[in-house]
Amino acid sequence: PLLALLDRVGLVEAPPDVLHKVADRLDAAAQRCGPAIATYGNPAKTLAAELAGSLPLVWTEGEAAGPVGRRFAAVLAELAGRPALVAELPEALPAHGGLLAGAFAAAADPDDFFRDRVDEPEA
């Protein structure tokens, strides 16, 4: 509906055939990420499992990506109750660099970064 409205006021071009294609893609994503789909085949549940017990750092680059990153962090907080920190590049590294090293860094062993941690207790 928002794309149709923006088309009518002349801000974007969204002919009906394009709107139908967008709706079809959104339907496909909703089916792939639905609650009845098992975690191993569901990107949304996989992401939720990977974010559990962590503080996500959402870094964006570009004019359009900034609002998307902020919205993603807001949705994580509002719907999932998970905080996230957002910054735009190139300011992201100085802003969040302290979280990537030292006392706040993840407790992963740098020599065994790619090991499977599924069965290990949280650090």
Side-chain angles (χ1 to χ4, degrees):
L2 180 59
L3 286 176
L5 175 65
L6 293 174
D7 179 59
R8 285 191 182 170
V9 297
L11 291 177
V12 297
E13 287 186 30
D17 62 320
V18 172
L19 292 178
H20 289 295
K21 289 178 183 177
V22 169
D24 290 342
R25 290 198 63 184
L26 289 173
D27 286 342
Q31 290 174 353
R32 192 176 74 240
C33 299
I37 306 301
T39 302
Y40 60 84
N42 186 327
K45 288 182 180 180
T46 300
L47 177 62
E50 290 174 359
L51 293 179
S54 68
L55 177 62
L57 302 179
V58 180
W59 292 2
T60 63
E61 181 178 26
E63 201 171 300
V68 172
R70 289 189 297 276
R71 179 64 185 148
F72 178 65
V75 168
L76 279 176
E78 294 167 12
L79 301 180
R82 305 293 311 169
L85 298 176
V86 182
E88 294 184 31
L89 292 170
E91 294 85 13
L93 190 56
H96 297 155
L99 297 172
L100 301 175
F104 294 109
D109 179 2
D111 295 328
D112 195 11
F113 182 78
F114 294 104
R115 75 179 184 277
D116 187 6
R117 295 177 177 85
V118 174
D119 296 328
E120 295 180 15
E122 289 187 32

